[in-house]
Amino acid sequence: MSPRRTPTVADCRRALWLLGAQPPLDHAGVLKAWRARVAQSHPDRHVGDERREQAAATLTRALNEARETLDWWIDEDLDWPAPGAGGVREVRFDEPEPWPEREPAEAVAPVCPLTGLRRGDQVRLRPYDGDLLVVEGTEVDQRDRSVWVRLVDHPAARADRVRLAAFSCPACGACAGPAVDEPTIRPCPDCLVDLRRLEQRPDEAARIRRAIEARARAGESMAESIGDGRLADRARERRRWARRLGPAGPEDLQAALLGAFSSAWERWGERPVREA
Ligand SMILES: [Zn+2]
């Protein structure tokens, strides 16, 4: 059996993690790890408890997919991903708690306050027309205080050369290409900064509203230039929204802006990070 789509290095890492297996592996090793996991998680073990039965079935499916991924990896004779940061974590088989509670919780990665990026974000490097890359994390070089973005399967890049890609901001309508089936819907770094500022300085509301209207306008042209009608619609809607707020009094304006930022932030903040 082969996977439904070509697995990525991240899929391979996830599969190794799910099966609690350490590379290098052969088919027999994959089968052994898979059997051990399935024995612990089989839905039959939870008969009578619908919620657990369902969770166990989901997990069994994930384990089957992990096995397919690793078998494919071996057949293709690909290099195993290096362990380390973001790599294979040790999973012990003798953990006391029963399946399916051990289904890996997809953590919400923290947002870097310096860049507005977080692990899993899709980005492109200057001049912003190359392949999509995935953020692994950010760090500051203590020698010159420069900020660097670590990238999956790519050398780190200075933060000022990295820009969010394939996303659309639900607060201001800013967006970036390339056009993809499912762009990330997330507040843009400018909105994250504006939210923080607005919380501290309510008198900045009018300036922030104007900035949002400008970003919405830029988002509209960007969406049109990459030919994505949905992103263009969102940007247009945000531009109209920002313009309607023009005559609002300071308190109403601050409340409206905070509301828009917060709902954008919450929706995004709660969403688990997609694996690269
Ligand atoms: Zn924004």
Side-chain angles (χ1 to χ4, degrees):
M1 239 194 309
S2 63
R4 282 156 301 166
R5 61 178 181 84
T6 308
T8 62
V9 170
D11 293 330
C12 178
R13 283 194 175 126
R14 184 178 156 81
L16 288 166
W17 189 87
L18 269 169
L19 295 185
Q22 292 286 347
L25 280 169
D26 56 13
H27 287 298
V30 172
L31 181 63
K32 193 173 156 214
W34 175 81
R35 272 197 188 131
R37 285 306 211 203
V38 168
Q40 289 168 296
S41 66
H42 200 275
D44 288 353
R45 282 171 58 109
H46 304 288
V47 169
D49 181 332
E50 201 180 310
R51 192 186 60 83
R52 282 181 158 231
E53 242 177 278
Q54 250 176 25
T58 304
L59 182 60
T60 302
R61 220 165 24 243
L63 293 175
N64 290 343
E65 281 170 17
R67 182 183 163 194
E68 282 170 26
T69 298
L70 295 184
D71 280 337
W72 181 87
W73 208 263
I74 291 164
D75 288 339
E76 294 293 313
D77 204 20
L78 297 172
D79 289 336
W80 293 103
V88 180
R89 280 160 290 182
E90 186 85 42
V91 178
R92 294 185 303 130
F93 279 98
D94 56 353
E95 287 170 85
E97 77 271 36
W99 289 85
E101 281 77 0
R102 256 197 287 169
E103 191 162 11
E106 286 190 275
V108 173
V111 179
C112 167
L114 298 170
T115 61
L117 297 172
R118 69 174 184 181
R119 182 164 56 80
D121 276 339
Q122 301 192 94
V123 294
R124 290 205 284 197
L125 302 186
R126 199 154 64 202
Y128 315 120
D129 54 4
D131 289 339
L132 285 175
L133 297 167
V134 175
V135 171
E136 196 163 86
T138 50
E139 56 192 54
V140 176
D141 186 334
Q142 296 303 335
R143 289 165 301 184
D144 60 359
R145 310 296 301 161
S146 58
V147 181
W148 291 76
V149 179
R150 282 185 283 112
L151 299 160
V152 175
D153 300 325
H154 193 279
R158 275 185 78 113
D160 56 8
R161 299 189 59 235
V162 179
R163 225 185 249 171
L164 266 180
F167 88 101
S168 164
C169 172
C172 77
C175 59
V180 293
D181 285 346
E182 285 191 54
T184 309
I185 309 299
R186 55 155 290 168
C188 67
D190 287 333
C191 280
L192 294 178
V193 171
D194 281 346
L195 170 61
R196 237 172 279 141
R197 218 171 264 160
L198 190 63
E199 282 167 342
Q200 291 156 7
R201 300 280 311 270
D203 56 337
E204 295 253 315
R207 185 199 58 76
I208 289 170
R209 188 206 65 78
R210 284 194 301 276
I212 287 180
E213 201 178 329
R215 287 205 291 277
R217 210 173 301 124
E220 220 177 313
S221 353
M222 172 61 83
E224 274 157 14
S225 76
I226 62 173
D228 191 319
R230 291 167 310 167
L231 300 193
D233 287 346
R234 170 173 293 122
R236 202 167 301 123
E237 186 271 315
R238 294 326 283 169
R239 178 168 57 76
R240 291 195 189 119
W241 169 80
R243 186 180 292 165
R244 275 201 306 277
L245 287 176
E251 279 176 17
D252 287 346
L253 181 54
Q254 194 206 5
L257 294 178
L258 279 179
F261 286 146
S262 309
S263 73
W265 171 274
E266 271 161 28
R267 261 171 41 204
W268 174 61
E270 284 165 6
R271 194 169 312 154
V273 170
R274 242 181 333 169
E275 286 285 339

